Amino acid sequence: MLTTATIMTSDVKIHNKHKETKTSATIASVFNSPKPPLCSFTLADRSKMGVISRRRLVVSDFIMSLMWVWSSVLIKMFVHSILGYGAHDLKGEILKHAISVINMFFFAFLSKATKGGAYNPLTILSGAISGNLSNFIFTVAARIPAQVFGSITGVRLIIAAFPNIGLGPRLTIDIHRGAFTEGCLTFAIVTISLGLSRRSNASTLMKTWISSLSKLTLHILGSDLTGGCMNPASVMGWAYARGNHVTKEHIHVYWLAPIQATLLAVWTFNLLVSPAKDEKEKMKEKKSE
């Protein structure tokens, strides 16, 4: 009996050891098995995410451009038609400019919420010039046309809703002085925007405040000459409604001059101001010392 029990216990031990070796071999085979090619899936997912984000940007540009055209008209209607202030009333002008600053804060929030959406071609063009070629082509071929179509659609809806609203900004001086004026205004605002983008220490609220006041000041300076738009897409919407969007004065004053001024501003800024990477490296060296 003892020998039989001893043999049975030894058989159970051997069986358990065999099970343990099988389990350990299975676990080892799982961990040592070749992993699936995750890199290919990651690259595909990244490309899909890139396409989705670009589509989102194009849609955001279209909607924001449409909203920007509407906002400027609604502000004027609120101040002059609803509140009853005259065209040259000082209180009305102050109120209109104050609402315009609040409106620019709202669009800055929309730009952040849409992760880069914009309503002004010059804003995205200044960033695309310093970027890679694919981003530049995407900006010129997709984003700027979306902003133009958004502005045209917005103006069409405005005219359909309010037929007596007017026909937007117009050039009141000759082409050469108009192009010079619009170019100077664009050069100033692009330089300010580039300077604010390099100031990483400043808060978003302060950057938006400085940018809004700068745009408002430059708009006031050029409003009696060219309209002080500094936004080719917005002007294109009103010019298309008037039927003079292919005239010499529109192309030279509101497209060529601002684009040339943007290129000059980016080139000058990069020439005079050191890149952000160099500044970070200098700060690291100072900390290490």
Side-chain angles (χ1 to χ4, degrees):
M1 293 294 292
L2 291 172
T3 55
T4 307
T6 307
I7 291 168
M8 288 177 67
T9 53
S10 62
D11 289 340
V12 169
K13 286 181 181 179
I14 292 168
H15 183 67
N16 290 335
K17 282 183 180 179
H18 185 63
K19 277 187 176 180
E20 288 177 1
T21 54
K22 273 189 176 181
T23 307
S24 60
T26 306
I27 295 170
S29 64
V30 168
F31 283 103
N32 296 326
S33 61
K35 295 180 180 180
L38 295 175
C39 296
S40 60
F41 292 106
T42 305
L43 292 173
D45 291 340
R46 285 180 182 177
S47 63
K48 286 181 181 178
M49 290 298 292
V51 171
I52 293 170
S53 63
R54 288 192 169 189
R55 288 177 181 174
R56 185 180 64 242
L57 279 177
V58 172
V59 174
S60 300
D61 291 343
F62 177 86
I63 296 173
M64 288 181 66
S65 300
L66 187 149
M67 292 174 63
W68 177 256
V69 174
W70 266 91
S71 66
S72 59
V73 172
L74 292 177
I75 290 171
K76 291 178 182 177
M77 289 181 63
F78 175 74
V79 173
H80 299 300
S81 300
I82 297 176
L83 299 181
Y85 287 104
H88 300 287
D89 194 336
L90 181 60
K91 290 182 180 179
E93 291 296 316
I94 292 173
L95 180 61
K96 184 174 69 175
H97 297 326
I99 298 174
S100 298
V101 172
I102 297 172
N103 184 51
M104 282 186 255
F105 268 88
F106 173 68
F107 274 89
F109 167 76
L110 287 180
S111 178
K112 191 173 182 180
T114 56
K115 297 181 180 179
Y119 56 89
N120 192 338
L122 304 178
T123 303
I124 57 176
L125 183 62
S126 60
I129 293 168
S130 304
N132 54 26
L133 181 61
S134 62
N135 186 34
F136 178 79
I137 294 172
F138 170 66
T139 300
V140 174
R143 296 194 67 183
I144 292 178
Q147 292 173 346
V148 172
F149 288 132
S151 299
I152 292 173
T153 306
V155 172
R156 281 185 170 182
L157 293 174
I158 290 169
I159 294 174
F162 310 105
N164 300 323
I165 197 64
L167 293 174
R170 296 196 182 197
L171 183 67
T172 59
I173 53 179
D174 61 88
I175 293 177
H176 300 290
R177 284 191 293 174
F180 180 76
T181 302
E182 199 69 17
C184 289
L185 296 175
T186 302
F187 181 87
I189 194 60
V190 171
T191 304
I192 293 170
S193 300
L194 290 172
L196 291 173
S197 65
R198 290 289 177 89
R199 292 190 62 183
S200 57
N201 297 328
S203 63
T204 306
L205 184 65
M206 182 58 65
K207 289 180 181 180
T208 308
W209 174 252
I210 295 172
S211 176
S212 301
L213 289 183
S214 302
K215 290 176 183 177
L216 180 61
T217 304
L218 294 170
H219 170 71
I220 294 171
L221 290 174
S223 59
D224 293 332
L225 303 175
T226 62
C229 297
M230 298 167 288
N231 186 341
S234 178
V235 182
M236 180 69 177
W238 292 104
Y240 187 84
R242 293 193 302 263
N244 59 355
H245 56 286
V246 292
T247 58
K248 184 179 178 181
E249 76 173 26
H250 174 74
I251 294 172
H252 277 75
V253 175
Y254 297 107
W255 280 100
L256 292 180
I259 290 173
Q260 290 174 357
T262 302
L263 295 172
L264 182 62
V266 172
W267 180 79
T268 306
F269 187 84
N270 291 333
L271 182 66
L272 298 178
V273 181
S274 59
K277 290 182 179 179
D278 294 344
E279 292 178 359
K280 289 180 181 179
E281 288 176 0
K282 288 179 182 179
M283 291 294 292
K284 286 181 180 179
E285 289 177 359
K286 287 182 181 179
K287 287 182 180 179
S288 61
E289 290 174 357

